[in-house]
Amino acid sequence: MKDKNLLPDNNSSSLEELTDQANQIIESLENEKDLNNSVESYQQLLKLNNIIEKKFHKNFRSIGEETNKKVKEIIKKK
């Protein structure tokens, strides 16, 4: 799934907000009796999962870069 196919309002949401949205969709899917009615919700859940995964990786990279900078600064001070 491409980012351009995702809803723009989800791209500005925090990981916590996106996780809450995913949990709400999961709850509704668990309570749904007719699987034919759940296809759209399941597709939305897949899109949210993709967004969450990308945000997580972006944050992970950012933390790694900040840590590397701090380590280099500490090494320079010695």
Side-chain angles (χ1 to χ4, degrees), residues 23-34:
N23 287 334
Q24 290 174 357
I25 293 172
I26 290 169
E27 285 181 29
S28 71
L29 286 170
E30 288 174 343
N31 295 328
E32 184 65 49
K33 301 291 183 202
D34 185 11

Side-chain angles (χ1 to χ4, degrees), residues 3-55:
D3 284 336
K4 63 182 177 184
N5 294 339
L6 302 174
L7 300 173
D9 62 333
N10 286 338
N11 290 328
S12 63
S13 300
S14 71
L15 283 172
E16 292 82 16
E17 292 169 333
L18 292 170
T19 302
D20 288 341
Q21 287 179 14
N23 287 334
Q24 290 174 357
I25 293 172
I26 290 169
E27 285 181 29
S28 71
L29 286 170
E30 288 174 343
N31 295 328
E32 184 65 49
K33 301 291 183 202
D34 185 11
L35 292 178
N36 291 325
N37 295 334
S38 61
V39 173
E40 186 176 323
S41 294
Y42 184 73
Q43 289 175 343
Q44 185 180 8
L45 181 62
L46 290 175
K47 289 177 183 180
L48 275 173
N49 183 53
N50 192 21
I51 293 170
I52 291 169
E53 185 177 347
K54 287 182 184 218
K55 282 187 177 272

